[in-house]
Amino acid sequence: MSETIPPAGKVADAHNTNWVDRFAPNWLKPYARLARWDRPIPLLLLFWPCVFGLSLAAIADPARGFDWRAAILMLIGSVLMRGAGCTFNDVVDRDIDEKVARTRSRPIPSGQVTTREAFAFLAAQAILGFLILLQFNRFTVILGVASLALVAIYPFMKRVTWWPQAFLGLAFSYGALVGWSSQTGGLSLAPLLLYFGCIAWTIGYDTIYALQDIEDDALIGVKSTARLFGSQTRLLIGVFYGIAYVLWLAAAIVAGAGLVFAVLSLIAAGLLAWQVQTFDKDVPGNVLAKFLSNNLVGIALSLALLAEWVW
């Protein structure tokens, strides 16, 4: 695999015009890169399931409405917890990241941040995230704290299983449960269907993302569904995306949604189908672009759910 050597201090897989490199003060840049603030789209992929859960709760009880305050708090919480998760992941993966062309320019392997400094930054983000979580009901606080176990084990999964993408899905989709429980104080079938749909979605899009590193991963022994699926990658990503859409549709129907959601959600389904048909790991930048387009899927599904609530 050919290497890309970024300018000093920059990260190879961050966009050249990202706001951190352009505007952040120099003392903050290494930590902002560690928390992935220079790449906002994956942050939104953590946030959209929260919106899905909040919207589904609004459909189940239209009189309650959509809780915009909770959405703002969850957006802030997503920034903090994604940053904490990425920081922990980079601490755990620092030896692996040194061996992969795309990741060796990250703050820890490149020497911009020490492991001790990274742990301090991790603790600060986790504390602030917990303060955000405390704004919700007791059940949601307990549910949110329980998610830390998934965040903690995820970085190790690529060493022991071919399915690290599934464990990422368990952690990254958790907002679907939190969004619902923040409004209802509990869980039921609808948010569980939504959660498992988001897990299938994550497996699909993170498999596409993992195609960027498939050669390096094979050399150093890192496992992924991108390597596991092999020649069946396109078919199996399509299967997981199909499962995601069916579960999303089922969740909405159980919550009380009707024709409005069924029709508008086809936009999200069409975007998923387009990804499956057009991703190509041999074309530079193609799989990253397809991965990032999942933000549009999140927007489309959120608007479909909100339209159903308004209707």
Side-chain angles (χ1 to χ4, degrees):
M1 178 178 288
S2 61
E3 293 188 24
T4 300
I5 302 175
K10 295 189 176 183
V11 179
D13 57 350
H15 195 280
N16 289 333
T17 58
N18 72 82
W19 76 270
V20 170
D21 289 342
R22 294 174 63 193
F23 302 117
N26 289 333
W27 66 267
L28 180 61
K29 285 179 180 178
Y31 297 96
R33 293 166 183 149
L34 192 60
R36 310 290 198 275
W37 295 346
D38 52 351
R39 279 160 283 184
I41 296 300
L43 153 68
L44 293 173
L45 295 179
L46 181 64
F47 173 62
W48 291 127
C50 300
V51 178
F52 300 165
L54 289 169
S55 302
L56 204 66
I59 290 172
D61 184 0
R64 177 171 46 221
F66 184 83
D67 191 339
W68 294 100
R69 175 181 176 275
I72 293 171
L73 287 172
M74 289 179 188
L75 177 59
I76 298 170
S78 295
V79 173
L80 293 167
M81 294 316 297
R82 182 201 173 220
C86 289
T87 302
F88 182 66
N89 186 80
D90 281 11
V91 170
V92 173
D93 283 352
R94 59 191 183 277
D95 294 334
I96 291 176
D97 287 346
E98 289 178 349
K99 301 172 184 177
V100 178
R102 185 177 62 84
T103 59
R104 65 170 54 108
S105 58
R106 286 178 176 174
I108 295 177
S110 65
Q112 299 174 57
V113 176
T114 67
T115 302
R116 184 175 180 177
E117 290 169 339
F119 271 120
F121 184 50
L122 166 62
Q125 292 175 96
I127 291 169
L128 291 174
F130 183 65
L131 293 176
I132 294 292
L133 185 61
L134 289 177
Q135 307 308 305
F136 300 107
N137 59 61
R138 180 178 297 180
F139 183 87
T140 301
V141 172
I142 296 171
L143 194 65
V145 171
S147 72
L148 296 178
L150 296 171
V151 175
I153 66 174
Y154 164 67
F156 301 97
M157 291 301 102
K158 63 174 69 70
R159 296 165 170 83
V160 299
T161 177
W162 288 100
W163 291 90
Q165 280 68 30
F167 286 88
L168 179 67
L170 289 168
F172 241 60
S173 305
Y174 214 80
L177 303 179
V178 171
W180 174 279
S181 72
S182 72
Q183 304 302 297
T184 66
L187 295 175
S188 62
L189 180 59
L192 290 174
L193 291 170
L194 179 68
Y195 178 55
F196 287 111
C198 290
I199 291 171
W201 179 37
T202 306
I203 293 172
Y205 70 60
D206 200 56
T207 299
I208 291 177
Y209 186 80
L211 289 170
Q212 297 177 100
D213 300 327
I214 195 167
E215 295 176 10
D216 282 338
D217 286 350
L219 288 173
I220 62 180
V222 169
K223 297 178 174 66
S224 71
T225 48
R227 291 185 61 205
L228 176 66
F229 293 168
S231 61
Q232 301 299 311
T233 298
R234 191 179 305 276
L235 170 64
L236 292 174
I237 290 174
V239 168
F240 278 106
Y241 276 170
I243 291 171
Y245 178 71
V246 169
L247 289 174
W248 287 339
L249 186 61
I253 291 172
V254 169
L259 187 60
V260 172
F261 175 79
V263 172
L264 293 180
S265 65
L266 291 174
I267 297 173
L271 289 167
L272 294 174
W274 167 75
Q275 286 181 42
V276 173
Q277 289 296 317
T278 60
F279 79 80
D280 187 345
K281 70 181 181 64
D282 296 321
V283 176
N286 176 278
V287 292
L288 179 60
K290 296 303 182 296
F291 165 75
L292 295 175
S293 73
N294 281 282
N295 184 49
L296 298 177
V297 177
I299 292 172
L301 196 72
S302 296
L303 291 177
L305 287 165
L306 287 170
E308 178 67 44
W309 163 62
V310 171
W311 182 260

